[in-house]
Amino acid sequence: MENPKITLIGAGGMSFGPTMVNDVIHTPALAGSRLMLHDVNEERLQRAYRFASKLNAANGAPVILDYSVDPAAALDGADYCLSSAEFGRFTYWRQDYEIPNRLGARQVNGENGGPGAVFHSLRSIKNTLSICADIETYCPGAFLLNLSNPMSRVTLAINRGTSVANVGMCHEMPIGISRLAKLLRMRPRDIEAKASGINHFTFFTEMRDRRTGEDLIPRIKDLFAKPIFDFSPRTTAAAKKLMGVPLLGALTDQLYSPIVAHMIRTYGIVPCSVDSHIGEYLPFARDVGTYHPVPVDLFEEIDRVTERWASRVAETSLPLPVQRIGHSLEEVIPIIAAMWTGTPADILAVNVPNDGYIPNVAEGAIVEVPAVVDSYGVHPETMPPIVEPIAGYIETQVGLQDLIVESALTGDPDLALQALIDDPNSPPDERACRAMFDELMELQAAERPF
């Protein structure tokens, strides 16, 4: 069997590209693969290629590397496409966060939920649909693994607006297991878990100790009932200081979690994600705790540090032990390996159109559930009904998914405006909603689909 061609779209980003290259290199079943890096920014792409070449060589060159800014050359003959591409990420994200909040919104993030995320959705959908058009032209049989946010809305647009076979992928579930394992003083590999919901708003339905079969959810509830998770003024002050330090800020983002603690204590349900994600969908998020970090500040600084580090690795002639970088927590490459070899793989979380997988979520809505993957494709697992009040919050988001995707596909801005007005974290004053809509429409005219 001929080895697969895998194309990384948006490979110039130094967080996405190197991670995916590294994971392919560390997957023996994909040895001999043709790995094509593609980006529209040639300077960034060449740097990513130098980094990938160094990584590949340090591991015995198990893959054949190439790069191209030409979509025809990059996509021709591709079996699998991975996409994580976005223009002006932090410039626009800051607009999405600051402008609505200045006008009365109560967003904690503005990336995947909240009025600002309406515009993030429109930009990402426009860009992703252009990528899908290239796939339909140059490699119509390829399977697309999309990593672009807002995941639910972008994945719905792909399924409604294109013929591309696809799945949406996010790392929140494995990261959530790893985070809780540390709190429980366990090894992540000793935890067996399942969760369901919508992307960045999933909740564990099962969590067990693989070795003993112990149900770990009661232990987590007991843990979060302890005073340390009250997030006292002293703890909050420490979190504020640590958020300004890139690496420590990332750790603080994972552990400073008054909203997570509130959900566990109040409703007895354990979220997979952190405050900055689940808080996007909750109308009371800003009422919980006294401090909410600004994620765009943190992740813009992390991105600078990552870019600086990756650039130095790419350019230096000093020997570095990059071969010691292990497989990441991402489940993207395991899906490709399972599809290519036919060896089934259990995947913690995939984003797919609901076909009864969660019985009390609307059919066709994009849901996040576990799955088995093999040569026949992705086989999502049927999960229990979502509990209240989470089911109600998800129902609201499903309605917003529909409005925003239809707006992007039909070019109707009124549908996007209605989604912004309907968002639970928009101000109740419709005039304020229209003002933020008009301001963002003007600022982001180059990247929106109408």
Side-chain angles (χ1 to χ4, degrees):
M1 184 168 60
E2 192 176 318
N3 293 316
K5 178 179 178 180
I6 304 167
T7 298
L8 308 187
I9 302 166
M14 294 305 286
S15 56
F16 163 69
T19 300
M20 294 299 109
V21 171
N22 181 68
D23 285 358
V24 174
I25 287 169
H26 284 88
T27 304
L30 296 176
S33 298
R34 298 160 57 211
L35 195 54
M36 172 67 76
L37 310 185
H38 173 54
D39 202 287
V40 295
N41 186 314
E42 186 161 13
E43 181 181 351
R44 290 170 62 87
L45 181 60
Q46 288 180 358
R47 183 188 60 184
Y49 177 73
R50 290 192 295 272
F51 183 101
S53 297
K54 188 167 292 187
L55 197 61
N56 193 37
N59 286 275
V63 302
I64 302 165
L65 276 173
D66 200 357
Y67 71 97
S68 179
V69 295
D70 178 15
L75 294 169
D76 182 47
D79 299 287
Y80 304 98
C81 298
L82 282 62
S83 176
S84 179
E86 191 165 347
F87 293 103
R89 181 188 181 199
F90 293 106
T91 298
Y92 288 129
W93 185 359
R94 192 166 295 283
Q95 293 173 2
D96 294 342
Y97 177 80
E98 292 180 350
I99 292 169
N101 281 12
R102 169 165 50 82
L103 291 167
R106 305 183 80 239
Q107 304 180 122
V108 296
N109 195 340
E111 185 188 23
N112 300 293
V118 171
F119 282 83
H120 187 198
S121 303
L122 294 173
R123 298 192 309 273
S124 285
I125 290 170
K126 176 187 177 183
N127 190 42
T128 301
L129 291 183
S130 70
I131 290 168
C132 288
D134 285 339
I135 292 172
E136 289 172 323
T137 299
Y138 302 115
C139 53
F143 188 84
L144 170 65
L145 296 100
N146 171 59
L147 291 87
S148 295
N149 283 325
M151 176 59 64
S152 300
R153 299 165 183 184
V154 173
T155 303
L156 183 61
I158 295 170
N159 282 279
R160 279 194 185 172
T162 82
S163 61
V164 176
N166 71 93
V167 68
M169 295 301 300
C170 179
H171 54 213
E172 281 299 305
M173 174 63 165
I175 288 177
I177 292 173
S178 180
R179 179 177 60 254
L180 289 171
K182 289 180 175 63
L183 293 174
L184 294 170
R185 298 183 180 180
M186 294 178 65
R187 297 176 300 183
R189 67 175 178 267
D190 290 333
I191 293 179
E192 182 178 30
K194 292 183 180 179
S196 63
I198 60 173
N199 182 241
H200 289 181
F201 200 62
T202 55
F203 296 81
F204 288 105
T205 58
E206 298 177 31
M207 183 175 281
R208 298 188 180 277
D209 187 326
R210 290 182 187 275
R211 303 162 300 177
T212 66
E214 177 193 3
D215 183 356
L216 296 173
I217 289 181
R219 279 182 60 186
I220 294 170
K221 291 180 183 179
D222 290 342
L223 178 67
F224 274 84
K226 293 182 177 181
I228 191 173
F229 290 100
D230 292 343
F231 297 100
S232 66
R234 180 177 294 180
T235 302
T236 300
K240 286 182 180 180
K241 290 182 179 179
L242 292 173
M243 274 293 177
V245 184
L247 294 179
L248 293 178
L251 179 62
T252 304
D253 179 64
Q254 291 290 304
L255 298 177
Y256 178 76
S257 50
I259 300 175
V260 169
H262 173 83
M263 299 301 286
I264 295 172
R265 291 175 169 186
T266 306
Y267 303 114
I269 51 178
V270 181
C272 296
S273 292
V274 294
D275 280 22
S276 59
H277 287 329
I278 65 169
E280 296 207 82
Y281 305 115
L282 297 169
F284 58 79
R286 282 202 169 271
D287 299 325
V288 178
T290 58
Y291 167 61
H292 298 281
V294 180
V296 64
D297 291 343
L298 171 65
F299 287 99
E300 186 171 27
E301 185 58 30
I302 289 173
D303 188 74
R304 287 194 196 101
V305 172
T306 303
E307 290 270 337
R308 194 159 55 240
W309 174 82
S311 296
R312 287 174 181 170
V313 172
E315 304 302 335
T316 185
S317 58
L318 294 173
L320 297 174
V322 290
Q323 74 278 3
R324 295 190 179 181
I325 302 173
H327 201 291
S328 76
L329 292 175
E330 302 281 356
E331 297 188 291
V332 175
I333 303 306
I335 285 183
I336 294 177
M339 289 181 130
W340 187 253
T341 65
T343 303
D346 292 317
I347 302 299
L348 291 169
V350 296
N351 287 267
V352 293
N354 191 30
D355 186 13
Y357 307 129
I358 303 180
N360 59 335
V361 173
E363 290 289 297
I366 301 302
V367 294
E368 190 166 81
V369 294
V372 174
V373 180
D374 57 24
S375 57
Y376 295 99
V378 177
H379 312 289
E381 185 173 336
T382 299
M383 300 296 288
I386 298 289
V387 300
E388 292 293 351
I390 302 306
Y393 295 130
I394 287 177
E395 183 179 8
T396 297
Q397 293 302 318
V398 167
L400 298 178
Q401 280 184 23
D402 186 67
L403 281 171
I404 292 164
V405 170
E406 283 304 300
S407 172
L409 293 178
T410 62
D412 185 349
D414 289 340
L415 295 176
L417 173 59
Q418 190 60 54
L420 187 147
I421 293 170
D422 291 348
D423 192 282
N425 281 301
S426 287
D429 182 355
E430 190 170 310
R431 290 172 301 177
C433 290
R434 290 181 179 275
M436 70 178 73
F437 185 83
D438 290 343
E439 186 171 350
L440 287 165
M441 282 281 283
E442 182 176 352
L443 286 170
Q444 300 182 14
E447 302 302 339
R448 53 184 169 81
F450 42 72

